Amino acid sequence: MSLLSRRALVLLVLALPAWAWALDFGFKPPSDPDDVAAVDVMRDLAQRIVPVYQEAETDAFLANMTALQIVSGAYRAAADSNRTLRGRQQGKPFDDLAERAILDGIYARARAFESTERLTFAKAYARAFQELVSPLDNARAAAVIARLQTPPAAFREPVRQAFERWRAKGSIPQADAVALVRAWLAYHSRRSFAALLPELVAAEHSRRYITETDVRIPVRAGVVIHANVVRPGGAKSPLPTLLRFTLDPAEDDAQRSAVKGYVGVTAYVRGRTPDGRGAVRPFVRDGEDAAAVIDWIARQPWSDGRVGMLGDGYSGYAAWAAARRKPAALKAIATMAPMAPGIDFPMAGQIYRNAMVRWAQEHASGGALRADAGADQDARWQALDARWYRVDGPYWDVDRVLLGKRSKLIRTWLTHPSHDRYWRKFLPSAKQFAQIDIPVLGIAGYYGAEAGALYFHQEHRRNRPQADTTLLIGPYDADSIRLGTAAQLRGYTLDPVARVDLPELRYQWLDHVFKGAKKPSLLQDRVNYQVMGADEWRHGPTLDAPDRNRLRLYLDTRERDGSHRLSPSPSEGDGSVQLSVDLADRRDARIPWPDALRGKQLPARNSISFVSDPLPRDTEIEGSLRGEFDITPSRQDVDLSVSLYEQTANGEYQLLFEPYDFRASYAGHRVYRRLLRAGERQSLAFTAERVTARKLAAGSRIVLLVGLNKRPDRQINYGSGKDVNSETLADAKRPVRVRWHVRSHVEIQTSGP
């Protein structure tokens, strides 16, 4: 089920009775929700429920009765029930029930107007919409409109599943019947009014807000930045401004900022227009241009002289790029999973990702952004990765293979494989970090959305210990941070406390900074992290602390019970375990790499697993994984992969953080490459640029997976010692071998509640 469908199902069960009814109703649903017979079938079901429906709680009764009456065709009665419900909501919090009362009220009134006044449905719906939405304040109107704009397809799946469930049984219990009626109403009504919404919403917005599109902001001689500006209408005094500096029109949230009582400004990087056209040079001028836009904002009559920046991914980077220039009007930045050039993009662990080519094509080229960037495009790029994987050529040619042409931008990035001056010039220097004295909020996730946020947070703290900087991190990835957390993430069921509306939390924090509102309770300390499995948040000055206990586990080279062990002390003797990978073997090109966070199988391709004994008690681990490998490599370099799992008592595996891949020659320092000594035993210390926090249950085991990188979607290091971009399959020669000796170990911080 899709994320939208899951959300829709949660909303549809709102206000259902807490007790089960004994009544069953004969029910023979059609084969499909779009079958023309479905309308009559659902009308008949609702008509049979209405006379016998009871519910002790008045608001729940009225909400469900409204839905039953609408679907039964008793529109005037439905409008009356809804009017009573809305009257009872006056003075109460504007919660889901209050929102649903407005949604159902609009539709009930529209159908009543249509039947009694002989209006077309379009005119009837427009009248009902204006009557119920216009009296709401901006925030409530925005909430209702957002719910109305949920596409019909999001509500179709719950209806289809219910039809499938009850078709064979021939009857349906009353509780499930009412839930199905509500689901059907949500789907069927949206098919009626979805096409009418754009014009109605545009008219409502024009009444509430002052919108200026494609504003030209001169930042220096001959350079203009394009922007959209949205202001709350009727503001009696200048307001603070929230700025997003981006290259992606999909991130235009100026309207949402205006709903929150700010002036919203979405400005586009140099060369980009609001329609997504225009080639850009990523990272190059963003800081100075964003600072110039901030200075321009401060001079406008609608500005109170204070600007906050928000950003996700690339626009998160732009907020830091502006902050290091210290424009006087910039008073706060709030970022989610910000991109850090040279740290987590276009490489991570100093290993280039093919995703940089797709990103450059979709976000930096001169053409308009594609509207079909979904599953089909994902499959297309995966096929291109597989094609690249089978090509016997240097990584210098990755752009030619994936794009069919050379890319100056990609080749420029490939010229700088270390974190050299090219990358460092885009990031705040130590001195600039020390001078950033404004409040900062960073939001990150354990699953591939943390490296940039951790870098900015840690460097800010390191260079300005007294910095007012706050980090929130939990079981999220980049999409769930930006789009909203669902009950499940890639097969893992989130703890209830982790299901936080993170974009909304960011606005609450900004209200604290700019409007004196109470600070969100979730942001109690400098670091706030969700402990998976404990259903709790923890708060402290730091996630990794030197005075905390650390659990050290050694890679036991002896094989027991068919697997290698993780032991609290090194094994005796001088044993070792070897992994051999043939980097020239490309028969696995089409075998997908699993991304599930929880499953029955350990994804151990090109890896060795080490398993601990069962934990004698519940154990909380938190922070980053560190280690020191006592290894003998067969080549001068190797790309290693490290993953950590909990193996539960029932045999399932829970990934604790996104696998960490890193180039061994850069493990000690991302700026300077130090080749390994092929054939010699040596020590390799590393710290994973990942963090996690989880309560491991008694009886669970800790599983460490160590392997060699050999993936179609990233650069492959053949270990010759040359520039990895220049290596080819000819450099593979024999399989790469790495031998781990008895002193190899990893460690992670542990703590209790």
Side-chain angles (χ1 to χ4, degrees):
M1 188 184 297
S2 70
L3 175 60
L4 284 174
S5 296
R6 290 195 299 269
R7 286 182 176 172
L9 189 56
V10 170
L11 294 174
L12 293 170
V13 299
L14 175 69
L16 287 178
W19 47 277
W21 307 298
L23 290 176
D24 270 27
F25 296 86
F27 185 55
K28 295 182 179 180
S31 59
D32 187 270
D34 298 326
D35 191 318
V36 293
V39 174
D40 291 335
V41 169
M42 292 306 302
R43 180 188 298 115
D44 174 70
L45 178 63
Q47 287 174 345
R48 286 183 284 133
I49 298 173
V50 167
V52 297
Y53 176 65
Q54 298 180 37
E55 167 59 54
E57 205 283 309
T58 302
D59 286 350
F61 173 81
L62 290 168
N64 288 333
M65 182 55 75
T66 298
L68 289 165
Q69 289 169 330
I70 293 174
V71 175
S72 72
Y75 301 125
R76 292 184 63 180
D80 290 340
S81 297
N82 178 263
R83 185 182 302 108
T84 302
L85 175 62
R86 287 186 287 108
R88 291 175 57 85
Q89 298 304 304
Q90 295 295 322
K92 294 182 180 180
F94 198 70
D95 56 12
D96 282 344
L97 180 61
E99 286 184 20
R100 176 158 293 283
I102 299 295
L103 268 63
D104 289 349
I106 296 171
Y107 190 70
R109 290 170 70 82
R111 287 303 185 188
F113 292 153
E114 181 186 30
S115 61
T116 61
E117 301 185 23
R118 297 185 179 181
L119 298 176
T120 64
F121 178 72
K123 291 183 178 179
Y125 190 84
R127 176 177 163 185
F129 179 93
Q130 292 160 2
E131 288 181 353
L132 295 191
V133 175
S134 295
L136 301 175
D137 62 29
N138 287 350
R140 294 181 176 186
V144 168
I145 289 171
R147 291 273 288 270
L148 288 171
Q149 290 177 320
T150 305
F155 294 92
R156 185 182 186 280
E157 184 62 15
V159 175
R160 188 197 65 78
Q161 289 185 354
F163 281 5
E164 288 292 326
R165 178 183 179 187
W166 301 110
R167 181 178 296 110
K169 297 185 178 181
S171 66
I172 182 172
Q174 182 169 303
D176 297 285
V178 174
L180 175 56
V181 167
R182 295 186 66 86
W184 169 257
L185 174 61
Y187 176 57
H188 181 60
S189 64
R190 278 169 174 77
R191 290 192 298 177
S192 302
F193 64 68
L196 307 176
L197 281 178
E199 183 177 348
L200 294 174
V201 171
E204 189 67 23
H205 284 171
S206 67
R207 187 182 68 81
R208 292 175 180 272
Y209 307 102
I210 301 170
T211 301
E212 300 175 81
T213 59
D214 200 11
V215 176
R216 312 294 177 91
I217 302 174
V219 295
R220 58 188 47 82
V223 177
V224 171
I225 297 297
H226 298 258
N228 295 330
V229 180
V230 183
R231 295 181 280 139
K236 301 184 184 306
S237 59
L239 298 171
T241 300
L242 296 183
L243 166 67
R244 183 185 290 271
F245 196 80
T246 184
L247 42 64
D248 186 357
E251 290 190 343
D252 184 359
D253 52 6
Q255 175 75 44
R256 182 170 183 178
S257 293
V259 169
K260 299 295 183 180
Y262 298 90
V263 176
V265 177
T266 300
Y268 294 91
V269 301
R270 184 182 301 200
R272 179 59 48 91
T273 53
D275 60 1
R277 296 184 180 276
V280 302
R281 298 177 62 197
F283 311 119
V284 175
R285 297 286 187 179
D286 297 328
E288 60 189 274
D289 288 347
V293 170
I294 291 169
D295 291 341
W296 175 85
I297 289 172
R299 296 193 300 269
Q300 303 311 302
W302 38 257
S303 169
D304 72 354
R306 297 179 299 158
V307 179
M309 288 191 72
L310 40 75
D312 314 337
Y314 188 88
S315 56
Y317 157 76
W320 279 100
R324 71 170 176 154
R325 295 182 175 272
K326 287 185 65 63
L330 183 60
K331 303 302 181 184
I333 63 172
T335 68
M336 300 198 298
M339 186 183 290
I343 303 295
D344 65 349
F345 182 89
M347 74 282 277
Q350 305 313 127
I351 303 170
Y352 285 100
R353 267 52 172 173
N354 293 8
M356 67 176 176
V357 180
R358 178 177 181 176
W359 187 91
Q361 176 71 7
E362 293 180 347
H363 294 288
S365 66
L369 295 178
R370 295 180 64 100
D372 58 350
D376 291 344
Q377 281 297 300
D378 290 343
R380 172 178 172 269
W381 283 98
Q382 288 167 8
L384 288 172
D385 285 338
R387 176 185 175 189
W388 156 251
Y389 187 62
R390 292 189 292 261
V391 169
D392 181 11
Y395 202 72
W396 283 113
D397 291 342
V398 67
D399 53 348
R400 180 180 57 81
V401 176
L402 298 186
L403 299 177
K405 60 182 179 181
R406 290 295 189 188
S407 165
K408 181 178 180 180
L409 179 61
I410 297 300
R411 293 188 66 79
T412 298
W413 288 346
L414 291 176
T415 306
H416 302 276
S418 70
H419 197 248
D420 59 13
R421 291 182 180 179
Y422 174 81
W423 299 112
R424 296 199 302 273
K425 71 184 178 183
F426 300 135
L427 297 167
S429 65
K431 181 179 179 181
Q432 289 171 330
F433 270 121
Q435 293 175 342
I436 297 176
D437 57 358
I438 58 176
V440 173
L441 173 64
I443 298 176
Y446 301 143
Y447 298 108
E450 75 274 47
L454 291 173
Y455 173 82
F456 286 119
H457 178 78
Q458 292 166 351
E459 289 300 307
H460 195 195
R461 286 286 305 279
R462 180 178 293 113
N463 293 285
R464 188 181 179 88
Q466 75 278 24
D468 181 4
T469 182
T470 302
L471 176 68
L472 180 137
I473 188 165
Y476 315 117
D477 62 8
D479 285 342
S480 63
I481 286 175
R482 181 171 54 88
L483 301 176
T485 56
Q488 285 203 337
L489 175 66
R490 290 155 55 184
Y492 165 64
T493 301
L494 274 66
D495 293 342
V497 299
R499 299 168 198 172
V500 179
D501 186 337
L502 297 172
E504 180 63 25
L505 179 70
R506 175 165 58 182
Y507 277 110
Q508 293 170 4
W509 180 82
L510 289 164
D511 285 348
H512 165 69
V513 173
F514 286 100
K515 301 179 181 180
K518 185 178 180 181
K519 188 175 184 179
S521 59
L522 206 54
L523 305 175
Q524 293 180 20
D525 214 321
R526 287 185 171 182
V527 178
N528 310 272
Y529 55 98
Q530 203 271 311
V531 182
M532 297 184 291
D535 198 25
E536 293 184 12
W537 286 88
R538 299 271 191 264
H539 314 274
T542 184
L543 189 54
D544 279 310
D547 59 341
R548 300 276 186 87
N549 295 326
R550 299 193 71 83
L551 175 64
R552 175 174 287 195
L553 295 169
Y554 288 84
L555 280 61
D556 194 333
T557 57
R558 298 169 296 180
E559 189 170 312
R560 291 181 291 172
D561 301 325
S563 65
H564 297 283
R565 313 300 290 176
L566 279 177
S567 303
S569 58
S571 57
E572 297 179 357
D574 194 25
S576 63
V577 58
Q578 177 176 284
L579 175 65
S580 178
V581 176
D582 185 358
L583 298 179
D585 183 357
R586 300 304 165 88
R587 289 174 295 179
D588 59 349
R590 283 290 190 173
I591 301 176
W593 282 84
D595 69 347
L597 305 184
R598 194 175 182 91
K600 292 289 188 181
Q601 300 294 325
L602 193 67
R605 195 190 314 177
N606 304 324
S607 301
I608 303 176
S609 61
F610 297 84
V611 185
S612 76
D613 291 331
L615 296 170
R617 64 185 65 87
D618 291 353
T619 303
E620 286 190 13
I621 61 172
E622 58 191 39
S624 58
L625 183 75
R626 301 175 185 174
E628 186 171 339
F629 287 160
D630 178 11
I631 60 172
T632 299
S634 65
R635 303 284 175 87
Q636 296 183 71
D637 204 358
V638 64
D639 289 352
L640 297 173
S641 177
V642 178
S643 306
L644 200 67
Y645 290 81
E646 175 190 9
Q647 184 182 18
T648 62
N650 67 3
E652 287 192 317
Y653 294 94
Q654 172 66 51
L655 183 64
L656 300 177
F657 55 76
E658 194 75 6
Y660 178 56
D661 301 340
F662 65 98
R663 183 152 295 158
S665 57
Y666 286 105
H669 201 295
R670 61 168 57 97
V671 177
Y672 304 107
R673 189 184 188 198
R674 297 184 177 91
L675 294 175
L676 306 180
R677 302 185 304 278
E680 296 184 24
R681 186 170 173 176
Q682 56 212 277
S683 178
L684 182 70
F686 69 92
T687 299
E689 294 175 339
R690 303 280 190 271
V691 295
T692 191
R694 180 164 177 83
K695 180 181 179 181
L696 307 176
S700 290
R701 300 171 184 264
I702 298 175
V703 180
L704 175 72
L705 205 61
V706 294
L708 302 184
N709 167 53
K710 179 177 174 280
R711 291 184 50 145
D713 59 352
R714 60 198 56 176
Q715 183 188 46
I716 295 177
N717 181 1
Y718 296 99
S720 69
K722 300 184 299 188
D723 176 8
V724 180
N725 291 319
S726 301
E727 292 181 320
T728 66
L729 281 175
D731 294 297
K733 299 178 181 176
R734 297 173 299 278
V736 174
R737 300 180 303 279
V738 178
R739 189 175 295 277
W740 279 265
H741 300 278
V742 294
R743 291 197 300 271
S744 298
H745 65 268
V746 295
E747 62 180 35
I748 194 167
Q749 181 176 282
T750 63
S751 68

